[in-house]
């Protein structure tokens, strides 16, 4: 192994504007969400590969020798493959005991880990190692938790295998990989996403890798060069929803009322473009209150447009009402119909207002985090730079 | 006088779809609101002209001789004039004691009455009469109460003067005038509206006269031939608002975000057209639940679009939420920012649901009426056909 120990993290993802409209060929803006997934990798001499996923109460361990048997002679030739190794995947599904309908988080996480581990190390000796992953992200909430996991796996295992160098220098607390290495991380993370999701858009792993913001249009993903870091609240209404049903509902409405809904999609497209322009200005000019006024107005308008599309929910109306009572503006993020919402905080928003708002939302039965969007993508951490509460989960005493 | 006694009524007005969009060249649908203004006219031999307006605690009386002095020789030549007699209006303002800034309801109502009375009777003897007006409409709520008043004045005074015949036959309970007579009523009612409002669109008096529904586009008013009568709740949130400020707000938003707001106006235009088409179908085909589903969906969509335009209000969100909890769909009507909203009732909506909803809304501090839209315009009533509670206000014992 090329490293004895490394800690990496990757952010989650939120849709700032353009959810649903993107399905109909309009722009969406995806941003990194600074609720991060952390992965600690340690080389061991136990002859075992151990995976700890405390978020989902999962602790697995295999002998290196049994994993070796899953490899065929043809494996591990091309670490940069864009295509999934279907034969390896079939064997892993059998090994993990996954039947076709079984898509639970634990099985998918195991499958993605073993696939990347065996693909990257299969051409040489399989190393003994332990991997521990802790995420600040809720799972299944449309916040890219699986992509953040895949990005962490890819970054740590590629680094451990020597395919890319560890970027962290002695004195630094965090460090990022160069563009080329990030491209490799992203392509392996995308493999992980494919294993977990079947047919992912690639947006989530791209955000997890590059961070910041990216523009997504007709399947094309364009990272935006510079965006400001924005303070937000991320709220999970915990109302379950089906993305498929919601997407189908918008399509039905579009088919039923094309003359009414098509302009709505155009309007949302313009919201994304106006937001992108405003954020670009905020990095090239002094940031003013007016910039935040515009961002707030765009949030309000888009939230109403999402209601027009029928993907709102009373729990989201409550989120908007409760935060507006504190002068803060919110919209749903992702599929809607419940799920999560984001609330923009202004630079001058007092922490007492933030705390009161968080409490109001928790009183509604929601989960709520103070975090930020637009922050860095995948990075390596020195152990001392990681928050104690995270380290506690990664390496419990 | 050509009649000794007559009772007339005219409906209020609600905007079904297209408020605000109409300011920017899009279609609006105005409908009659069956909260009516009733006027009773009696010929007397008192030598006096008496006006009773119990809604605003107003009881006025003038000697016919003092009113005669307000007339100049040139008056009363042309009963169909489209232009206000500025000289008469000036004298009346002085007589009533109106200074320029004074636009209170009582003064405006007095002015409109005296202007139409003197214009219609000025060429002959001024008759002694008493006029009593009672309205079910709240005033100043954008529901066309001044137009309903003007339409009643015009219909009763034109009938009393013999300019048009009384349409009521012996055995009938209500009757309407012929098209030509209604045009005359409408034109005099428009004069009343001009006196009260300065620069009215003419929509309110047209709805008060013709009833049903009319399409308003770029200043052109087109009555629609047939529309179904729809049961509704009319709710007054009692939140005061300034139409001028709200209209200016939409214009500002349009100037600030043209690419976002122009499609919204297009979408609202399509809502009005789709609604008009659906209502037309409901008069030419058997009415189905699907027709009501469409009407409900259009209401929800337009309400969200009005929120996009920034003319919503928490009180209106509450209206929508409270009624939706009973399975009913609501939108603001008119200027928004508070003011009034309408809630569609389905034919099968049980009266217990209606009563519960009305109570819920009253518990919010709102006024709420169960009424209908699309009903008849100005009509003459036999005394026995008028509800006792209305007669009680018109001719108290």
């Amino acid at each position: 192994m090329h490293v004895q120990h490394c800690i990496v993290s990757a952010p989650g993802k939120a849709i700032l504007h353009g959810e649903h409209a993107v399905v109909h060929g309009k722009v969406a803006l995806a941003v990194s969400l600074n609720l991060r997934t952390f992965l600690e990798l340690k080389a061991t001499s136990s002859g075992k590969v151990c995976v700890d996923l405390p978020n989902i109460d999962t602790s697995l361990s295999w002998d290196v020798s049994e994993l070796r048997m899953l490899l065929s002679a043809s494996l591990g030739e091309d670490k940069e493959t864009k295509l999934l190794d279907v034969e390896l995947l079939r064997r892993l599904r059998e090994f993990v005991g996954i039947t076709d309908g079984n898509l639970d988080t634990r099985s998918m996480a195991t499958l993605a880990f073993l696939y990347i581990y065996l693909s990257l190390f299969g051409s040489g000796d399989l190393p003994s190692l332990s991997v521990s992953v802790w995420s600040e992200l809720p799972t299944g909430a449309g916040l890219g938790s699986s992509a953040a996991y895949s990005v962490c796996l890819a970054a740590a295992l590629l680094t451990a295998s020597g395919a890319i160098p560890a970027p962290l220098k002695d004195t630094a607390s965090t460090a990022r990989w160069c563009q080329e290495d990030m491209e490799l991380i992203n392509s392996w993370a995308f493999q992980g996403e494919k294993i977990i999701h079947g047919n992912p858009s690639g947006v989530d792993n791209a955000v997890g890798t590059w961070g910041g913001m990216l523009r997504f249009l007709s399947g094309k993903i364009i990272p935006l060069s510079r965006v400001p870091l924005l303070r937000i609240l991320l709220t999970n209404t915990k109302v379950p929803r089906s993305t498929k049903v919601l997407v189908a509902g918008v399509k039905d409405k579009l088919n039923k009322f094309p003359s009414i809904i098509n302009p709505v999609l155009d309007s949302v497209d313009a919201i994304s473009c106006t937001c992108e322009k405003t954020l670009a200005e905020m990095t090239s000019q002094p940031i003013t209150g007016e910039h935040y006024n515009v961002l707030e107005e765009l949030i309000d308008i888009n939230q109403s447009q999402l209601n027009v599309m029928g993907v709102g929910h009373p729990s989201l109306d409550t989120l908007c009402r409760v935060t507006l009572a504190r002068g803060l503006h919110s919209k749903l993020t992702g599929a809607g119909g419940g799920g999560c919402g984001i609330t923009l905080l202004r630079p001058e928003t007092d922490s007492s207002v933030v705390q009161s708002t968080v409490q109001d939302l928790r009183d509604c039965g929601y989960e709520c985090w103070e975090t930020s969007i637009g922050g860095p993508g995948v990075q390596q951490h020195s152990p001392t730079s990681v928050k104690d509460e995270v380290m506690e989960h990664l390496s419990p005493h």
Side-chain angles (χ1 to χ4, degrees), chain A:
Chain A
M1 289 247 290
H2 287 73
V3 293
Q4 289 300 306
H5 180 223
C6 81
I7 300 173
V8 301
S9 77
K13 167 224 67 174
I15 301 292
L16 185 53
H17 289 294
E19 49 272 273
H20 287 287
V22 73
V23 177
H24 304 281
K26 308 299 178 186
V27 171
L29 299 180
V31 285
S32 68
L33 175 69
N34 208 27
L35 296 175
R36 303 181 77 89
T37 295
F38 292 84
L39 183 152
E40 182 175 33
L41 180 147
K42 288 178 188 165
T44 64
S45 53
S46 62
K48 288 184 178 295
V49 170
C50 305
V51 174
D52 278 300
L53 308 172
N55 294 87
I56 53 172
D57 297 320
T58 295
S59 188
L60 300 164
S61 175
W62 304 274
D63 281 332
V64 166
S65 55
E66 64 178 323
L67 296 180
R68 163 64 60 195
M69 290 164 63
L70 293 164
L71 291 170
S72 72
S74 67
L75 269 174
E77 297 304 306
D78 178 11
K79 288 184 187 179
E80 293 181 54
T81 181
K82 302 276 178 194
L83 293 170
L84 275 184
D85 182 330
V86 178
E87 173 55 20
L88 175 60
L89 196 55
R90 191 193 60 73
R91 269 185 255 169
L92 286 176
R93 288 175 154 276
E94 198 177 294
F95 177 70
V96 175
I98 297 174
T99 54
D100 269 353
N102 183 359
L103 299 165
D104 69 283
T105 307
R106 178 185 306 205
S107 303
M108 291 299 117
T110 307
L111 207 57
F113 169 79
L114 287 176
Y115 182 88
I116 298 176
Y117 171 82
L118 289 173
S119 300
L120 292 181
F121 292 102
S123 59
D125 284 344
L126 288 183
S128 310
L129 54 82
S130 75
V131 158
S132 182
V133 182
W134 171 255
S135 184
E136 297 169 334
L137 286 161
T139 56
L143 299 175
S145 64
S146 70
Y149 170 76
S150 294
V151 170
C152 284
L153 278 184
L157 293 172
L158 281 165
T159 303
S161 75
I164 57 176
L168 196 70
K169 302 294 165 241
D170 286 346
T171 55
S173 57
T174 62
R176 307 199 61 204
W177 285 266
C178 69
Q179 287 296 314
E180 197 185 339
D181 293 346
M182 285 205 284
E183 268 158 32
L184 192 60
I185 293 170
N186 188 44
S187 70
W188 278 100
F190 191 39
Q191 302 287 45
E193 278 285 87
K194 281 187 206 160
I195 290 166
I196 297 171
H197 284 299
N199 190 23
S201 67
V203 167
D204 291 14
N205 49 280
V207 171
T209 304
W210 308 106
M213 182 164 81
L214 53 83
R215 166 188 251 265
F216 184 49
L217 174 62
S218 306
K220 271 173 62 181
I221 296 168
I222 302 152
L224 299 177
S225 50
R226 294 185 66 201
V227 287
L229 191 72
L230 299 175
R231 293 167 71 199
I232 63 153
L233 298 181
L234 188 280
T235 301
N236 186 359
T237 66
K238 299 196 277 183
V239 173
R241 76 278 180 274
S242 155
T243 301
K244 265 187 198 161
V245 170
L246 289 158
V247 167
V250 175
K251 199 172 178 189
D252 288 349
K253 219 177 254 279
L254 181 60
N255 288 337
K256 191 170 177 186
F257 304 121
S259 61
I260 297 170
I261 303 299
N262 270 320
V264 172
L265 300 175
D266 290 338
S267 177
V268 171
D269 195 67
I271 290 168
S272 295
C273 296
T274 307
C275 183
E276 189 183 324
K277 191 165 142 274
T278 305
L279 293 174
E281 270 181 32
M282 289 170 80
T283 61
S284 64
Q285 301 171 10
I287 294 175
T288 67
E290 182 55 21
H291 286 127
Y292 276 91
N293 294 346
V294 170
L295 293 180
E296 287 177 344
E297 223 172 329
L298 296 177
I299 283 172
D300 290 344
I301 293 174
N302 198 357
Q303 175 62 17
S304 295
Q305 294 293 34
L306 289 158
N307 280 325
V308 169
M309 294 182 219
V311 299
H313 188 270
S315 63
L316 295 164
D317 296 340
T318 300
L319 167 65
C320 293
R321 193 172 62 254
V322 166
T323 54
L324 194 61
R326 303 267 180 200
L328 303 173
H329 298 253
S330 304
K331 70 177 277 290
L332 69 83
T333 181
C340 292
I342 51 173
T343 305
L344 184 66
L345 303 175
R346 299 174 71 109
E348 69 270 23
T349 305
D350 198 76
S351 72
S352 68
V353 171
V354 176
Q355 289 320 306
S356 306
T357 309
V358 169
Q359 194 52 55
D360 290 348
L361 293 169
R362 288 181 180 157
D363 291 346
C364 294
Y366 304 160
E367 292 179 306
C368 187
W369 296 264
E370 184 182 355
T371 180
S372 59
I373 53 177
V378 64
Q379 52 188 8
Q380 188 185 1
H381 297 262
S382 71
T384 53
S385 74
V386 179
K387 286 176 286 188
D388 287 349
E389 59 190 275
V390 172
M391 285 308 294
E392 187 62 35
H393 288 290
L394 290 176
S395 315
H397 300 296

